């Protein structure tokens, strides 16, 4: 946790000192559409283990945390925290519509504080449901991510949570691990026009995938408000959207999100992202899907 806090301090010093509320809204829209360093937030906010917990770990050295368990924990945390991000983004939009403007640095601090408070509340239940010790989970997660090509599902689950945290904090944390720090951005830089074209394809793919999954669940007599549906819809729709922009436009999700950060101050980009989200919500509601 100490290493993560030091890295966090260095990253916060690099943040922009001021901007409009609309800047933050634009970044939140992409993450909220369906959507570790960000993962280190999970570990740095964990509760302190008791002596009994430590004894249990020492008595069971052969207990193994599997990649599947790590993915399940981060998927559950993502689903819970995604709801928090959506609620926060709606509150920010309401402030903007009321004509209020908050300096970005102040807004980021407020949002980050709300995010981390909510995470503290959700973590114990997720750990308990998965019967996992936080320290063991942390060690296993970083171990798997030391060879990410061998554990692509772990990498995707952790980086998806990192993206969520990054959208709130404004800190560039995707790809962070204790061993290598933050990933160095690579790939081409997208123009505003390329970003808006990719965003349209991204949102449309998420919408189509969610509707297809909802139809399958309905036909099987399953509840669309269940956590099972929300988890499957969020995971598969995001994966489908990432694959779509990569296949049709040769744009990686990293390049896409970097472009959002780069162009989010462009009012045309912000307006386009807002309209895409509104269109998506209308189509999902028309299809009978609960807003996630």
């Amino acid at each position: 946790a100490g290493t993560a806090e030091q890295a966090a301090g260095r990253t916060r010093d690099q943040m922009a000192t001021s901007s409009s509320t609309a800047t933050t809204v634009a970044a939140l829209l992409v993450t909220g559409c369906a959507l570790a360093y960000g993962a280190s937030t999970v570990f740095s906010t964990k509760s302190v283990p008791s002596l009994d917990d430590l004894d249990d770990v020492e008595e069971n050295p052969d207990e193994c945390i599997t990649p599947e368990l790590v993915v399940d924990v981060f998927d559950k945390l993502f689903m819970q925290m995604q709801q928090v991000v959506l609620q926060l983004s709606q509150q920010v939009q309401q402030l903007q519509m009321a004509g209020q403007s908050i300096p970005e640095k102040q807004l980021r601090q407020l949002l980050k504080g709300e995010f981390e408070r909510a995470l503290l509340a959700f973590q114990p239940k997720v750990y308990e449901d998965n019967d996992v010790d936080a320290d063991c989970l942390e060690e296993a997660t970083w171990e798997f991510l030391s060879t990410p090509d061998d554990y692509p599902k772990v990498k995707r689950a952790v980086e998806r949570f990192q993206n969520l945290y990054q959208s709130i904090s404004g800190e560039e944390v995707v790809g962070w691990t204790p061993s290598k720090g933050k990933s160095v951005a690579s790939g081409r830089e997208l123009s505003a026009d390329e970003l808006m074209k990719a965003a349209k394809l991204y949102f449309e793919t998420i919408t189509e995938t969610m509707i297809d999954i909802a139809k399958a669940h309905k036909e099987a007599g399953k509840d669309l408000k269940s956590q099972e549906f929300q988890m499957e819809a969020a995971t598969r729709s995001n994966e489908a959207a990432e694959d779509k922009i990569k296949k049709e436009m040769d744009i990686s999700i990293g390049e896409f999100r970097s472009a959002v950060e780069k162009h989010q101050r462009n009012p045309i980009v912000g307006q386009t992202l807002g309209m895409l989200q509104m269109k998506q919500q209308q189509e999902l509601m028309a299809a009978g899907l609960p807003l996630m």
Side-chain angles (χ1 to χ4, degrees):
T3 302
E5 289 169 359
Q6 292 172 2
R10 290 194 297 271
T11 308
R12 281 194 291 272
D13 290 340
Q14 299 169 355
M15 291 171 59
T17 57
S18 65
S19 184
S20 67
T21 302
T23 300
T24 304
V25 173
L28 290 175
L29 290 177
V30 171
T31 305
C33 66
L35 310 162
Y37 178 95
S40 75
T41 303
V42 172
F43 303 133
S44 64
T45 55
K46 62 180 180 281
S47 58
V48 178
S50 66
L51 292 176
D52 289 339
D53 292 333
L54 295 177
D55 288 341
D56 288 342
V57 173
E58 291 176 356
E59 290 172 3
N60 297 281
D62 296 328
E63 285 190 357
C64 178
I65 293 182
T66 65
E68 292 75 19
L69 180 57
V70 173
V71 170
D72 188 46
V73 169
F74 274 94
D75 281 350
K76 288 178 179 177
L77 288 173
F78 174 82
M79 289 301 303
Q80 294 282 4
M81 298 311 299
Q82 184 184 49
Q83 296 292 331
V84 174
V85 170
L86 289 172
Q87 291 168 6
L88 291 174
S89 67
Q90 291 168 0
Q91 292 172 9
V92 172
Q93 286 177 298
Q94 289 171 359
L95 288 175
Q96 185 185 22
M97 293 174 64
Q100 299 184 39
S101 180
I102 305 174
E104 184 178 5
K105 185 175 182 180
Q106 180 183 354
L107 180 59
R108 290 291 190 187
Q109 290 173 341
L110 292 171
L111 292 174
K112 182 182 174 184
E114 290 299 318
F115 183 97
E116 291 181 350
R117 277 192 288 275
L119 181 60
L120 266 175
F122 289 132
Q123 276 180 181
K125 181 68 164 59
V126 174
Y127 291 162
E128 182 181 352
D129 289 346
N130 285 273
D131 192 24
V132 63
D133 173 80
D135 290 308
C136 294
L137 176 69
E138 177 178 7
E139 183 178 353
T141 299
W142 299 140
E143 180 67 26
F144 294 140
L145 291 180
S146 66
T147 54
D149 291 342
D150 294 334
Y151 304 101
K153 291 184 178 180
V154 172
K155 181 176 183 290
R156 172 169 284 191
V158 171
E159 290 191 353
R160 184 172 65 156
F161 187 88
Q162 289 176 324
N163 272 311
L164 193 66
Y165 180 78
Q166 181 169 305
S167 73
I168 282 289
S169 68
E171 300 172 8
E172 297 179 7
V173 301
V174 177
W176 188 95
T177 68
S179 61
K180 68 177 182 179
K182 187 183 67 180
S183 293
V184 177
S186 61
R188 74 181 191 274
E189 293 187 358
L190 307 181
S191 67
D193 287 340
E194 288 176 317
L195 169 61
M196 289 186 287
K197 182 179 178 181
K200 182 175 183 293
L201 182 61
Y202 187 84
F203 273 79
E204 288 177 349
T205 303
I206 285 176
T207 303
E208 293 170 1
T209 305
M210 281 190 162
I211 291 175
D212 288 343
I213 295 172
K215 287 180 179 178
H217 274 251
K218 284 182 179 179
E219 291 173 357
K222 297 181 179 179
D223 184 6
L224 297 186
K225 295 182 180 180
S226 67
Q227 187 179 49
E228 177 189 358
F229 168 74
Q230 293 183 8
M231 186 77 72
E232 181 179 353
T235 301
R236 285 180 50 192
S237 60
N238 275 282
E239 290 176 355
E242 292 174 18
D243 292 343
K244 192 78 167 180
I245 61 174
K246 181 62 178 177
K247 181 179 180 180
E248 296 196 5
M249 300 184 67
D250 194 26
I251 295 173
S252 70
I253 190 61
E255 292 168 340
F256 179 66
R257 294 189 183 280
S258 293
V260 172
E261 292 293 326
K262 177 183 177 181
H263 296 294
Q264 61 182 335
R265 289 170 177 79
N266 184 325
I268 297 177
V269 171
Q271 182 180 24
T272 298
L273 293 176
M275 291 176 64
L276 287 171
Q277 188 199 39
M278 185 178 299
K279 180 174 181 287
Q280 180 188 63
Q281 291 178 340
Q282 292 172 345
E283 292 179 351
L284 293 178
M285 289 178 66
L289 275 73
L291 293 182
M292 300 172 65

